[in-house]
Amino acid sequence: MLSVVRPVAAGEVIEARDVGVVRLGVDDATQVVRAGQRDAVIGRRAVVPLVSGQLLAPGLVGDSAGFPPNGQALVVVAVEPGMLPAGLAAGQRVALVPGVPPGGRTASDADAQAPDPVLGVVNAVGRPESASGKGAVTVLVDAGAVRRVAQMSDPRVAVLSASVKAVS
């Protein structure tokens, strides 16, 4: 069977270095791409994000990305150094929460309603390249929440447990 050996973003072309061979006993081999089908995968696109260690299934490979799914969107938020949660990784549930603008809040800020937190799932994490640079977190959110995320000043990323359904 073929497995993913390094992350591949949705829409990226799958290269030979992205896949490896694993030997498993599988009851339904139609659900995975067999090692002998490697040439049929190389040069095609990842339909959805692929993670390291994942077995390749036929529906994960195609001619174009099918990601993000209908009704959802990917948003990227810049995160100040030291504000990136430790161990943040793709697949974790998070809340994007408005931060405090530089210089603190003013009286006029108190009159303005801060956007509500936005729940989503981390798609990718870009660590800062230097101590003074910002990191980037790509989050899959409901498409209707994109404007709320864009209106957040200095958004913060809060990691949620799987049981959290709402944030106030």
Side-chain angles (χ1 to χ4, degrees), residues 12 32 52 86 103 120 138:
E12 276 188 14
V32 294
S52 207
T138 305

Side-chain angles (χ1 to χ4, degrees), residues 75-162:
V75 295
V76 179
V77 295
V79 181
E80 292 291 335
M83 296 306 294
L84 207 56
L88 186 65
Q92 289 183 298
R93 292 188 67 240
V94 296
L96 300 176
V97 183
V100 177
R105 297 211 185 273
T106 65
S108 63
D109 291 335
D111 296 335
Q113 178 71 22
D116 290 333
V118 173
L119 301 181
V121 176
V122 175
N123 185 65
V125 179
R127 305 282 175 193
E129 292 182 16
S130 68
S132 61
K134 288 187 175 186
V137 180
T138 305
V139 181
L140 182 67
V141 300
D142 287 333
V146 171
R147 179 170 286 165
R148 288 195 345 246
V149 174
Q151 292 172 340
M152 289 182 185
S153 89
D154 198 24
R156 303 286 196 244
V157 178
V159 178
L160 304 173
S161 71

Side-chain angles (χ1 to χ4, degrees), residues 50-90:
L50 304 176
V51 296
S52 207
Q54 174 180 13
L55 291 178
L56 275 178
L60 302 178
V61 177
D63 297 320
S64 63
F67 192 82
N70 287 335
Q72 296 191 303
L74 288 172
V75 295
V76 179
V77 295
V79 181
E80 292 291 335
M83 296 306 294
L84 207 56
L88 186 65

